[in-house]
Amino acid sequence: MRDGGQDRKAAEVRRMLEGPHPPVPAGLADRAARRGARLLRVRRGVRRTAWWLAGTVFAAFLMWAGVEQPWLPEPAEVTPPLEGW
């Protein structure tokens, strides 16, 4: 149930694959391997930096929360009147 367009495309692809392959530049595999290794190093460095930054932010938050104790109510600004002296 293929139409003529798909048959034509499939035949063209088969013809291209059966023909002579284009020449590959010398050293292409080595350059690709070096580039891939460099990208992995960069990604690993970015990931480590992000985790380090997240840990530092978390530690700073814990220190702030320990000092400020935001879960406690604020102290009263006005003292109650003193009666009965």
Side-chain angles (χ1 to χ4, degrees):
M1 294 223 142
R2 291 185 176 184
D3 61 2
Q6 286 184 347
D7 286 337
R8 183 181 51 80
K9 288 180 183 179
E12 187 175 338
V13 168
R14 270 192 234 98
R15 183 183 52 79
M16 288 172 56
L17 291 175
E18 290 171 357
H21 299 291
V24 177
L28 179 64
D30 293 334
R31 287 192 319 231
R34 281 195 307 269
R35 183 171 186 225
R38 186 176 65 240
L39 285 174
L40 286 176
R41 280 194 311 272
V42 167
R43 287 179 183 169
R44 189 180 306 131
V46 168
R47 195 177 309 122
R48 284 182 181 171
T49 303
W51 276 109
W52 179 83
L53 184 61
T56 304
V57 167
F58 184 67
F61 171 76
L62 289 179
M63 289 176 57
W64 170 81
V67 170
E68 291 294 320
Q69 297 179 352
W71 54 87
L72 295 178
E74 293 184 17
E77 297 279 331
V78 179
T79 57
L82 195 59
E83 296 176 2
W85 273 79

